[in-house]
Amino acid sequence: MTVFGCVCRPRGKAGSSAIFATWALGAALTAAPAALAQEAEEKAWLLDEITVTTTGLGTPRATHIGNISKIPEAEVEFVKPVQPSEVLNRVPGVGIQQGSGAEHLTAIRSPVLTGGAGAGSFLYLEDGVPMRAAGFANVNALMEAMDEVSGGIEVVRGPGGARYGSNAEHGLINFLSRPPAPDEDGELTAWGGPHDLFEVTGTASKTLGGADAASHGFRGSFSVLNDGGFRADSGLEQQKARLRYDYDAPDTRIEATLTAVNTNQETAGYVVGPDAYKNPALYKTNPNPEAYRDAWALRTAVRVERDLDDDLMLVLTPYARSNRMNFLMHFLPGQPVEENAHWSGGLLSSLVARLDGGHSLIFGLDTEYTDGSLSEIQYNAAPPFPAPPNNSPQGVHYDYTVKALVLAPYLHSEWQLTPKTLFSAGLRFEYTRYDYENHAPNGIFGRYLRIPSRVDEFSDVTPKVGLLHEFNENITGYVNLARGARAPQTTDLYRLQRLQVPGEAKSEELDSIEVGARGRWANISYETNLFYMEKRNYYFRDANGFNVSNGKTNHAGVELELAAPLPFGLDIAAAGTYARHTYAFTNITATEIILDGNDVDTAPRTLANVRLGYDFDGGDGRAEFEWVHVGDYWMDASNTAEYDGHDIFNLRLDYNVTENLALFGKLTNIFDTRYADRADFAFGNERYFPGEDRGLILGATLRY
């Protein structure tokens, strides 16, 4: 399976080329010979895939109410991503910008969001369990995912279902662990590339019992990555490991996982200046050779399914996790050092009832307790800019702890109104309590405000309503109305700036409507939808570095995902989005003017990703040519500085030499294009994370 992602922008050549390519692709597929119909049936993955994210149970994508995309295990293994963005950006509506090493910023039906908004607007899951506590999210959360040995990845765009609360606002990503094989299996993969890039991954499993007796399955997986970095004084080392145990008996099923991730990074900062990412003298330099990021994460979860009756099942998932991170905030004046940590535990519980007539009900209660801490200390002398009183002085900026409690009952229901019409309704209530304790002197310290200890509480109600109708065997349509909400991140509430008022941050709310269809047309499998969303209480940092707590934004677009076989062993797949993300309020400061109707910064209207695949030698070999397009976008909220966008081309090849040996390679950025992974505007300057040069990666996989 392959996917193509596009967000089209009428301004500029890149936007028009993406629109033309989308039209030409549809025309070419429609004209494909009718003789391919049978092969199209075999590759109709859009309808046949089984998804688990929305209900926690196996649901055919054909009957899923609302959008959902799945990147199957085989595709993740074929892509062999250096970082998760390499495979996730195949999904429509998703645009993850890679920073230095494992650092990144995410967009899912949204602009690329930063700070607390970037951390709190997206939910990252492992087998349906959040990888971090709700108010303690990480803007670089994908560094804690283990996608190298994966059972697939599922993505929901827009507010998640009633089963998910805080952070499932703009979307969620669920990383599925690979289950044990029915008997046993094992594989070891090693590959290398430029700049001392080297990775080794391995996995092995064994299952005992089965047939009429209970079965016990075991799988162990690991990955080790070393990347010397293509820029000066940069590099990344990561180690990841996971153990999984599955127990399957006639009336009880258990899935237990233990995952550990360690990251050590020498960080490269922004290169600064007009089009600095194109400048041969600048784009490989590192203005911040002293920057670093060290982090580790440990988490475990046990999912227990118990059949109480033929149509009644109890699901309990206790979990625990611990995270710690230490990094230099090289992107801020004074370059303070932040240390943050939290440990947390909780229980996801639900009672699943299947009723006569095809109806179903899920009654759930989620509980979570977290104990977290954060300190920010500047060891450098105060820089000359900005000047007092907005300066960044030497010393302790913040030092606090937060204890958090979350209680969230919910109901998810599905009603078979007719044999071809399914109605869904859900409601979630989420109560969040933060008990904050300040360990630094109260009051203003330069630009920073350290507030006295306090308690904050938030209550959010998020309803969801959806309708799906099968018009015929080739087309199914759906409508979804949903509200997403998130309590403020603890950093939104307690890492304040002078002139701010404690307690002014409110829960963000996002109301969404989408209308979509999926099915087959000629030999094409497709899914497409239109969406519109309004967000209130948007909390972000303006150009002066101060937090804005009452922002409003609107989001509207169209998304497309399709796949089809072509003659001579070829196939093509695509996904796309045309979207506008705009401010719905006015905010004027001395250095930035945000006007109602402006594009939100870092919100390309066009993203595109098209792949042409070729299976050869009886299916033992596969080649894939990929086009990755990012349209132009404004780098600042005032819409005065613009990045031109880029087009990158990649080639991948995988060949099974024998049943036990596979060789593979990929050539990235074939034409050695100068581009920016991220373009930003701050403190009056353009600044960029340059994209990497052309690179060749070669490797091999041993299987038994």
Side-chain angles (χ1 to χ4, degrees):
M1 161 198 159
T2 327
V3 186
F4 146 73
C6 159
V7 185
C8 300
R9 190 170 193 164
R11 184 181 67 249
K13 296 180 181 179
S16 59
S17 65
I19 296 171
F20 175 78
T22 304
W23 172 85
L25 177 62
L29 293 177
T30 304
L36 294 172
Q38 182 177 353
E39 188 175 357
E41 289 286 330
E42 296 172 358
K43 294 189 175 184
W45 49 264
L46 284 175
L47 301 179
D48 298 338
E49 286 177 335
I50 300 297
T51 62
V52 298
T53 295
T54 301
T55 63
L57 310 169
T59 303
R61 186 171 178 182
T63 59
H64 180 85
I65 304 177
N67 79 82
I68 189 168
S69 293
K70 183 168 185 176
I71 307 170
E73 173 184 322
E75 184 175 1
V76 179
E77 189 172 355
F78 176 74
V79 173
K80 293 179 178 63
V82 178
Q83 292 297 336
S85 58
E86 191 176 348
V87 68
L88 285 169
N89 284 346
R90 296 175 173 241
V91 174
V94 176
I96 297 168
Q97 293 188 339
Q98 202 63 41
S100 176
E103 295 180 353
H104 60 274
L105 294 170
T106 298
I108 304 176
R109 266 193 195 173
S110 71
V112 174
L113 297 173
T114 63
S121 297
F122 314 105
L123 183 61
Y124 304 92
L125 307 162
E126 181 178 73
D127 293 326
V129 179
M131 293 195 294
R132 278 210 169 202
F136 302 80
N138 177 13
V139 73
N140 297 289
L142 292 175
M143 71 167 57
E144 296 169 2
M146 187 173 180
D147 61 303
E148 293 84 354
V149 182
S150 170
I153 307 170
E154 295 181 354
V155 181
V156 175
R157 305 180 297 277
R163 291 183 63 236
Y164 304 106
S166 274
N167 297 20
E169 186 182 21
H170 274 283
L172 62 87
I173 303 174
N174 190 11
F175 293 88
L176 307 177
S177 61
R178 186 180 297 186
D183 186 12
E184 64 180 19
D185 73 346
E187 67 178 42
L188 181 68
T189 299
W191 50 266
H195 319 297
D196 298 321
L197 179 64
F198 185 75
E199 182 169 42
V200 178
T201 66
T203 185
S205 77
K206 187 174 183 63
T207 298
L208 306 173
D212 296 331
S215 67
H216 302 266
F218 306 86
R219 178 175 292 279
S221 306
F222 76 91
S223 73
V224 177
L225 170 68
N226 179 84
D227 184 355
F230 84 101
R231 298 174 60 194
D233 302 303
S234 67
L236 171 67
E237 294 181 355
Q238 273 191 315
Q239 306 86 38
K240 303 178 183 180
R242 177 188 291 132
L243 297 174
R244 172 166 166 168
Y245 166 71
D246 284 17
Y247 172 80
D248 193 355
D251 60 355
T252 304
R253 295 158 299 281
I254 298 175
E255 177 189 311
T257 56
L258 173 65
T259 305
V261 178
N262 182 65
T263 301
N264 301 107
Q265 175 177 301
E266 300 301 318
T267 304
Y270 289 100
V271 293
V272 180
D275 292 338
Y277 67 95
K278 296 180 181 178
N279 189 330
L282 290 179
Y283 81 92
K284 288 188 178 181
T285 64
N286 178 10
N288 304 109
E290 70 284 355
Y292 67 92
R293 184 182 296 269
D294 296 325
W296 59 263
L298 181 67
R299 55 185 179 268
T300 184
V302 181
R303 178 184 171 96
V304 181
E305 297 180 357
R306 176 74 176 182
D307 295 329
L308 305 179
D309 201 347
D310 290 343
D311 298 314
L312 191 63
M313 180 173 65
L314 178 65
V315 183
L316 300 175
T317 308
Y319 61 89
R321 60 205 167 197
S322 183
N323 307 77
R324 183 172 294 275
M325 183 181 298
N326 177 300
F327 70 101
L328 183 74
M329 305 176 77
H330 62 89
F331 44 85
L332 293 181
Q335 298 187 327
V337 172
E338 178 183 322
E339 293 188 32
N340 65 70
H342 77 267
W343 66 264
S344 56
L347 175 66
L348 309 178
S349 59
S350 60
L351 187 65
V352 182
R354 301 192 182 279
L355 310 178
D356 293 339
H359 314 310
S360 65
L361 293 172
I362 300 178
F363 302 92
L365 175 63
D366 298 343
T367 61
E368 181 174 270
Y369 176 79
T370 306
D371 192 338
S373 63
L374 182 144
S375 68
E376 180 181 313
I377 303 174
Q378 182 173 310
Y379 297 96
N380 299 327
F385 176 83
N390 294 327
N391 65 324
S392 183
Q394 186 178 32
V396 176
H397 297 169
Y398 306 102
D399 183 8
Y400 61 78
T401 56
V402 181
K403 295 178 173 61
L405 175 67
V406 177
L407 300 173
Y410 68 87
L411 170 66
H412 175 86
S413 65
E414 293 186 354
W415 306 92
Q416 196 74 51
L417 302 183
T418 73
K420 295 183 179 295
T421 304
L422 185 64
F423 174 76
S424 174
L427 184 68
R428 183 183 182 93
F429 171 78
E430 187 159 294
Y431 167 77
T432 303
R433 184 182 192 273
Y434 295 136
D435 188 348
Y436 155 83
E437 185 175 355
N438 181 34
H439 302 291
N442 296 330
I444 294 176
F445 184 62
R447 69 182 295 111
Y448 307 105
L449 173 60
R450 302 176 299 211
I451 64 174
S453 302
R454 56 182 286 147
V455 171
D456 290 282
E457 297 176 300
F458 302 90
S459 296
D460 298 298
V461 178
T462 51
K464 328 277 181 180
V465 178
L467 184 70
L468 178 141
H469 181 72
E470 181 184 347
F471 293 97
N472 55 53
E473 62 180 8
N474 293 319
I475 181 169
T476 299
Y478 58 83
V479 179
N480 251 341
L481 298 171
R483 169 170 292 178
R486 68 172 182 91
Q489 296 291 293
T490 53
T491 51
D492 294 341
L493 292 169
Y494 309 124
R495 185 150 64 178
L496 299 183
Q497 311 279 305
R498 62 187 302 272
L499 305 181
Q500 286 190 275
V501 178
E504 68 178 354
K506 305 177 181 66
S507 290
E508 262 189 17
E509 291 185 346
L510 183 147
D511 290 328
S512 168
I513 179 172
E514 69 172 353
V515 180
R518 66 172 67 93
R520 298 183 182 95
W521 180 43
N523 64 320
I524 307 169
S525 295
Y526 70 90
E527 178 170 328
T528 185
N529 57 69
L530 299 165
F531 68 88
Y532 177 75
M533 306 188 300
E534 293 183 350
K535 183 163 66 173
R536 298 175 296 281
N537 303 326
Y538 172 41
Y539 196 91
F540 69 99
R541 182 166 293 187
D542 64 22
N544 286 337
F546 292 104
N547 293 323
V548 177
S549 61
N550 60 347
K552 296 180 181 180
T553 56
N554 295 333
H555 314 265
V558 56
E559 297 168 339
L560 171 68
E561 188 172 10
L562 57 83
L566 297 173
F568 312 113
L570 297 168
D571 58 78
I572 196 165
T577 309
Y578 176 83
R580 282 205 67 191
H581 308 280
T582 56
Y583 291 106
F585 77 114
T586 295
N587 186 67
I588 298 176
T589 69
T591 58
E592 179 181 71
I593 299 176
I594 297 177
L595 299 178
D596 190 339
N598 276 10
D599 278 21
V600 181
D601 53 287
T602 327
R605 298 184 189 176
T606 59
L607 300 170
N609 187 298
V610 180
R611 296 175 200 82
L612 179 66
Y614 175 54
D615 292 332
F616 60 94
D617 202 6
D620 284 331
R622 178 167 177 81
E624 182 182 85
F625 181 73
E626 177 186 37
W627 167 44
V628 180
H629 166 78
V630 175
D632 52 349
Y633 57 84
W634 297 112
M635 300 159 59
D636 63 333
S638 298
N639 290 186
T640 60
E642 187 176 31
Y643 173 63
D644 292 335
H646 59 258
D647 295 275
I648 303 298
F649 297 88
N650 306 309
L651 181 66
R652 297 182 176 89
L653 178 65
D654 199 339
Y655 186 74
N656 294 318
V657 180
T658 69
E659 184 179 351
N660 304 110
L661 173 65
L663 302 178
F664 61 87
K666 56 182 176 180
L667 184 63
T668 58
N669 192 6
I670 295 172
F671 301 111
D672 206 22
T673 302
R674 295 276 67 77
Y675 71 100
D677 275 317
R678 173 169 174 77
D680 191 23
F681 190 89
F683 309 111
N685 295 303
E686 297 179 22
R687 56 183 193 173
Y688 302 90
F689 282 123
E692 192 164 349
D693 298 335
R694 179 193 300 117
L696 176 64
I697 293 173
L698 298 173
T701 297
L702 294 174
R703 300 187 180 97
Y704 66 87

